[in-house]
Amino acid sequence: MSDHDHTHGHDDDEHRGGDQSHDHDHSHGSDGHGHGHNHNRDGHGHDHDHGHNHNRDGHGHDHDHDHHAHDVTELEFAVLTVSSTRTVDDDPAGDAIQEILHDAGHSISVRRVVDDDFDEIQTALARMADRGDVDVAITTGGTGVTPDDQTVEAAEQLFEKTLPGFGELFRRLSYDEIGTRVVGTRASAGIVDGMPAFCLPGSENAARLGTAEIIVAEAPHLTGLARRDEA
């Protein structure tokens, strides 16, 4: 079973195709739980001003150290559709991603269709990280369980850090629409040479869900953190 279309499940199988179309579009179009506890019992006036700073795994619950200080508010994206049948002119999932990103104030530096081929997918992602004008990459398609669904395998070999929470959250949100069929959806994300990369299923609804509900919210923060040592 492949990724199912959100209308009837995310369906990566329908997006198969060897057209490597290029369309360069340059139209530019936390948590702070500061817990200062004051337990004033029986008149003893115990003032425990702990100001907890839990800075584990990137949570940084402390507004005094602005957790979002490194956020990149205007990002340049690469959108890579993995398919053997689609073109840039016939790519509903890619169109949906581009529309959502533009509406959020971001830009598209690269829009491509990449064949369902392990080496081509991996090479395309690696090149996006090397370009210099791409902050974040999003792939759509090839995340199912059929033999030619290889996006996740190709991408994960490049991940210097994995972001398992992305796939977990995507499947949690998808469950409301497609139920237990989320087990066949292998959405994934990680950092490729300082560039966040998100791998979404190939259906338009799945692309909209992942981009609008997760990527738009978290890409600025993740990009800033991944580049923090470069500042």
Side-chain angles (χ1 to χ4, degrees), residues 4-228:
H4 316 292
D5 189 329
H6 267 280
T7 311
H8 303 286
H10 308 312
D11 185 2
D12 280 327
D13 292 334
E14 65 181 3
H15 303 311
R16 301 282 173 255
D19 191 334
Q20 298 216 10
S21 302
H22 299 259
D23 180 10
H24 300 281
D25 180 357
H26 296 283
S27 57
H28 294 282
S30 207
D31 290 323
H33 305 300
H35 303 295
H37 303 304
N38 185 354
H39 305 294
N40 195 350
R41 300 177 181 174
D42 301 326
H44 296 299
H46 302 299
D47 187 0
H48 306 293
D49 189 4
H50 298 300
H52 302 306
N53 182 0
H54 305 294
N55 195 8
R56 298 177 183 175
D57 298 328
H59 295 299
H61 303 303
D62 189 345
H63 277 310
D64 292 334
H65 301 85
D66 188 353
H67 190 45
H68 293 274
H70 299 278
D71 288 11
V72 182
T73 57
E74 295 182 8
L75 296 168
E76 297 277 355
F77 281 81
V79 179
L80 306 176
T81 297
V82 179
S83 172
S84 297
T85 58
R86 296 292 182 186
T87 67
V88 172
D89 294 327
D90 178 26
D91 179 18
D95 291 342
I97 293 170
Q98 178 169 306
E99 171 194 338
I100 292 166
L101 293 175
H102 276 162
D103 287 348
H106 303 300
S107 302
I108 311 298
S109 293
V110 181
R111 176 89 183 267
R112 285 191 59 191
V113 173
V114 182
D115 197 13
D116 271 310
D117 177 82
F118 182 98
D119 290 335
E120 288 192 30
I121 297 166
Q122 192 171 84
T123 298
L125 269 177
R127 285 178 177 170
M128 296 307 104
D130 289 340
R131 282 176 61 102
D133 64 345
V134 173
D135 300 308
V136 182
I138 301 175
T139 70
T140 173
T143 64
V145 296
T146 62
D148 54 354
D149 286 325
Q150 301 188 69
T151 301
V152 175
E153 285 73 20
E156 288 186 345
Q157 280 196 1
L158 298 174
F159 290 169
E160 57 204 41
K161 289 182 173 64
T162 59
L163 300 170
F166 174 76
E168 293 164 3
L169 179 56
F170 179 83
R171 283 180 283 276
R172 177 182 171 184
L173 296 173
S174 297
Y175 180 80
D176 293 336
E177 297 187 34
I178 65 173
T180 56
R181 283 176 292 176
V182 295
V183 299
T185 299
R186 299 184 304 127
S188 181
I191 307 298
V192 179
D193 195 18
M195 177 191 72
F198 301 92
C199 302
L200 290 169
S203 75
E204 179 181 351
N205 284 347
R208 286 189 178 278
L209 175 68
T211 306
E213 298 298 327
I214 309 175
I215 296 174
V216 164
E218 294 302 323
H221 185 51
L222 292 170
T223 303
L225 290 177
R227 294 177 172 178
R228 190 162 61 182

